[in-house]
């Protein structure tokens, strides 16, 4: 009987100690993680090979040859025209309103006389295709210029100052047309038309 109770007691004790023993084993089987085991291995970044600086793309198109600056050359040449020079001299010498008026009227008549001379020279200088357009534009100018001049005179014809203003605007209008024709000639020939024939005698109205 004693042996049986002893066995029973030992078995009961063993059963009571089993959870403790198991928990102890579990603690031993799962050691506390160390910092080295939890830290993910860091990958060493691979440095990409440095790309060589790209050379600027070279255009396959040939470089344009520098054309002569005809526009600048024309401005320089036209600035020395004798009509403007004579007008400047006349205005410098003018000592009265009538002298100023005459200076502008004379310049206007010179520019008006210069237009058909420059027009004929331009028609000779341009190509046949451009000539047709030139003739069309000039005809439109001839159809409208008388009305433009009359309007200028009507708006500015009162008093001495008004007449001077009208004469100045009229000569500027004729000068603008003559200048455009001279530019066409210069772009084709590199020269200006002859101004002497327009200034050869006292211009007529």
């Amino acid at each position: 009987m004693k042996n049986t109770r002893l066995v029973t007691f030992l078995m009961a004790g063993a059963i009571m100690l089993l959870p403790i023993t198991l928990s102890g084993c579990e603690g031993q089987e799962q050691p506390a993680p160390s910092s080295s085991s939890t830290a993910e291995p860091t990958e060493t970044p691979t440095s990409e090979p440095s790309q060589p600086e790209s050379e600027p793309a070279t255009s396959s198109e040939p470089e344009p040859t520098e054309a002569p600056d005809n526009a600048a050359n024309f401005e320089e040449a036209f600035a020395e025209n004798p009509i403007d020079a004579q007008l400047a001299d006349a205005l410098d010498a003018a000592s009265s309103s009538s002298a100023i008026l005459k200076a502008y009227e004379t310049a206007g008549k010179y520019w008006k006389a210069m237009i058909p001379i420059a027009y004929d020279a331009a028609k000779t200088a341009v190509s046949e295709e451009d000539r047709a357009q030139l003739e069309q534009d000039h005809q439109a100018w001839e159809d409208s210029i008388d009305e433009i001049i009359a309007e200028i005179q009507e708006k500015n014809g009162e008093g001495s100052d008004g007449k001077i203003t009208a004469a100045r605007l009229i000569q500027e209008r004729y000068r603008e047309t003559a200048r455009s024709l001279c530019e066409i000639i210069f772009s084709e020939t590199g020269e200006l038309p002859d101004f002497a024939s327009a200034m050869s005698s006292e211009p007529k109205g």
Side-chain angles (χ1 to χ4, degrees):
M1 284 293 291
K2 289 182 180 180
N3 291 336
T4 302
R5 290 180 178 176
L6 180 59
V7 171
T8 302
F9 177 77
L10 291 175
M11 290 180 64
I15 292 172
M16 292 177 65
L17 292 174
L18 184 61
I20 298 174
T21 305
L22 291 176
S23 62
C25 293
E26 289 178 358
Q28 293 177 358
E29 290 177 0
Q30 298 180 0
S34 63
S35 59
S36 60
S37 62
T38 57
E40 295 182 358
T42 57
E43 297 182 359
T44 304
T46 57
S47 60
E48 296 182 358
S50 59
Q51 297 291 337
E53 295 184 0
S54 58
E55 295 289 336
T58 56
S59 174
S60 58
E61 298 181 359
E63 295 183 0
T65 56
E66 294 185 1
D69 192 355
N70 283 339
N73 293 338
F74 169 74
E75 294 295 339
E76 182 178 351
F78 189 79
E80 298 178 358
N81 73 79
I83 300 179
D84 281 346
Q86 181 167 314
L87 173 60
D89 291 341
L91 291 175
D92 288 341
S95 58
S96 63
S97 297
S98 59
I100 295 174
L101 176 61
K102 183 179 179 180
Y104 281 123
E105 286 179 340
T106 300
K109 291 174 182 178
Y110 284 156
W111 283 121
K112 184 178 180 180
M114 190 64 201
I115 289 173
I117 297 171
Y119 174 60
D120 290 340
K123 284 197 301 181
T124 303
V126 299
S127 65
E128 184 176 351
E129 181 181 354
D130 292 337
R131 188 180 304 120
Q133 183 63 52
L134 176 62
E135 291 174 349
Q136 181 180 345
D137 293 343
H138 189 71
Q139 185 61 51
W141 176 83
E142 286 187 332
D143 293 341
S144 62
I145 188 59
D146 289 342
E147 182 179 350
I148 293 172
I149 298 303
E151 184 178 353
I152 292 174
Q153 291 174 333
E154 182 180 352
K155 288 184 177 179
N156 303 281
E158 296 295 332
S160 177
D161 290 342
K163 290 180 180 179
I164 291 174
T165 300
R168 176 177 59 80
L169 294 175
I170 290 170
Q171 75 89 23
E172 287 177 355
R173 178 67 66 171
Y174 285 131
R175 180 185 185 276
E176 178 183 350
T177 302
R179 180 188 179 282
S180 298
L181 293 168
C182 288
E183 188 171 10
I184 294 172
I185 299 166
F186 192 90
S187 66
E188 297 292 336
T189 67
E191 297 179 352
L192 293 177
D194 184 18
F195 284 74
S197 57
M199 305 172 67
S200 59
S201 61
E202 184 67 21
K204 300 178 182 179

